[in-house]
Amino acid sequence: MVSIPWYVNLFLLFLPLIFSTVVGVWINVLLRRINRQEGNPPWSIKRNFLMACIISSPLAALTQLLLQAQLEEYLYLESNTSMIVFDAVMAPFLVMMLYNVLLWYFDKKDWYNAYNFIRVKHTPNFVDEDVSDFTVKNYHNKSLNGNDKDAE
């Protein structure tokens, strides 16, 4: 086993964190899109953070654990457990920060399609209704809020 310099140790610490952050944002956006397609109400920030915790924390810890298991016969790592805990704790916060940075960057660059893909908006579903603001709802019914439209 070889003792490693500090920069290799930092690389081994942040590589699973970067991987789990990118995958966590991707899965989080896909889950938000599925939620919108099912007709559920939009997610709150609390729900978004909870899903980031559920997705990225185990992913970061598992990736760090598997990376250390593969490298343990070649490298001597002093702080195995602290690296796993650090990755598991920091991953959800980085998912939320990367999500907000992507929203800001796509909005700043005026990349409309990328911004709309990341920003999952819940719009009302106008299937049978007219979407115009200038029409009176239920105008074709015989009585309109108790008023007879033929008498006008």
Side-chain angles (χ1 to χ4, degrees):
M1 286 197 270
V2 177
S3 181
I4 58 174
W6 63 271
Y7 53 86
V8 175
N9 202 6
L10 281 179
F11 178 73
L12 293 177
L13 174 67
F14 288 112
L15 182 67
L17 196 59
I18 292 169
F19 173 74
S20 68
T21 301
V22 170
V23 171
V25 167
W26 178 62
I27 292 174
N28 206 342
V29 168
L30 288 180
L31 286 176
R32 288 170 64 117
R33 296 180 77 79
I34 290 170
N35 181 48
R36 183 189 64 189
Q37 283 181 337
E38 290 178 349
N40 296 330
W43 282 3
S44 63
I45 295 296
K46 185 192 300 185
R47 173 79 182 224
N48 202 7
F49 182 70
L50 179 67
M51 292 311 260
C53 288
I54 291 171
I55 294 166
S56 63
S57 285
L59 182 63
L62 183 64
T63 308
Q64 183 65 255
L65 187 66
L66 292 174
L67 180 66
Q68 288 177 5
Q70 291 299 316
L71 296 177
E72 71 181 352
E73 59 189 55
Y74 304 112
L75 303 174
Y76 176 68
L77 299 172
E78 294 177 8
S79 56
N80 293 342
T81 308
S82 63
M83 292 172 79
I84 294 170
V85 170
F86 178 80
D87 283 352
V89 168
M90 291 304 295
F93 296 106
L94 289 177
V95 165
M96 296 300 292
M97 288 190 325
L98 180 63
Y99 177 75
N100 288 330
V101 165
L102 286 175
L103 282 176
W104 168 78
Y105 184 75
F106 292 154
D107 190 32
K108 181 183 143 206
K109 290 287 188 178
D110 289 331
W111 292 350
Y112 183 73
N113 290 334
Y115 180 81
N116 282 339
F117 182 78
I118 296 291
R119 174 96 175 132
V120 180
K121 284 239 180 198
H122 288 332
T123 56
N125 216 356
F126 296 111
V127 178
D128 294 332
E129 298 180 5
D130 188 8
V131 295
S132 174
D133 291 336
F134 300 107
T135 57
V136 178
K137 190 173 182 179
N138 298 327
Y139 180 74
H140 297 291
N141 293 344
K142 188 64 178 166
S143 68
L144 185 62
N145 296 331
N147 296 330
D148 188 13
K149 67 179 180 181
D150 293 330
E152 291 180 356

